[in-house]
Amino acid sequence: MTKAIEMAKISAKGGFNLFWGLATSTIISAVGVILVARLLSPSEYGLVAIALTAPNLIAIFRDWGVNSAMIKYIAQYNSENETANVKSIIDAGLLFELALGFSLSFISFELSGFLATNIFRRPDISPLIQIASFTIFAGAALTVAQSTFIGFEKMGLNSITMICQSP
């Protein structure tokens, strides 16, 4: 019975940490959107939204379920005290996510002129798409960190990454 109570305490603490992290990051994001909307004119804000569209669509191809696998196997091997396997899972996930994130960022960066001219019919937003392309790589790094934190049941650290991501 004490094992079940201990697991319940860990789950409750982790759930609370995720709750405050998500709530805080949501508030920060909302304030950030309001500030950006007030600083930019409607047309400038629209350009930012358009520039983020292409990298966000390309970033969809970055998710191959590696983050879910990392969480599962890090938690499993960590509970079995198999630190060599934990390290190999983190290394493999890190290598895969960062390589794919870099590749997709590069593709987005290189296609920015084509996308701006031929798809959006706004050649002037090509530099904005190039800048937004780096969010794909940053998202890959963030995914690895969050998957690792969740796998090790460090929900407080995961909440901190959500808060850092939110501005």
Side-chain angles (χ1 to χ4, degrees):
M1 189 64 155
T2 61
K3 177 105 172 151
I5 292 171
E6 187 63 30
M7 287 176 59
K9 286 181 182 178
I10 290 171
S11 294
K13 182 180 176 186
F16 178 74
N17 282 333
L18 286 176
F19 170 75
W20 73 258
L22 185 59
T24 305
S25 70
T26 301
I27 291 167
I28 292 171
S29 292
V31 170
V33 167
I34 291 168
L35 288 175
V36 169
R38 290 183 58 82
L39 291 173
L40 299 176
S41 69
S43 62
E44 291 170 333
Y45 190 74
L47 286 178
V48 170
I50 291 170
L52 287 171
T53 301
N56 285 339
L57 288 174
I58 292 171
I60 291 171
F61 297 104
R62 204 193 66 196
D63 184 18
W64 288 20
V66 172
N67 57 341
S68 300
M70 283 182 66
I71 292 168
K72 180 205 183 302
Y73 288 109
I74 289 171
Q76 177 182 332
Y77 293 141
N78 191 40
S79 70
E80 296 169 357
N81 292 323
E82 296 183 25
T83 55
N85 287 339
V86 170
K87 185 182 178 326
S88 67
I89 293 295
I90 293 171
D91 290 345
L94 182 68
L95 178 67
F96 180 81
E97 285 287 341
L98 293 183
L100 188 59
F102 179 78
S103 300
L104 291 175
S105 287
F106 181 76
I107 290 168
S108 178
F109 189 90
E110 290 298 315
L111 288 176
S112 64
F114 173 79
L115 294 169
T117 304
N118 297 325
I119 304 297
F120 297 120
R121 306 252 186 238
R122 303 288 305 254
D124 54 319
I125 66 166
S126 180
L128 294 174
I129 295 173
Q130 289 175 339
I131 293 168
S133 296
F134 294 111
T135 62
I136 300 170
F137 182 75
L142 186 67
T143 297
V144 170
Q146 289 178 328
S147 300
T148 303
F149 293 149
I150 293 171
F152 281 118
E153 297 176 1
K154 302 292 185 188
M155 301 308 174
L157 295 174
N158 186 47
S159 292
I160 291 169
T161 60
M162 286 191 299
I163 291 168
C164 291
Q165 176 193 11
S166 60

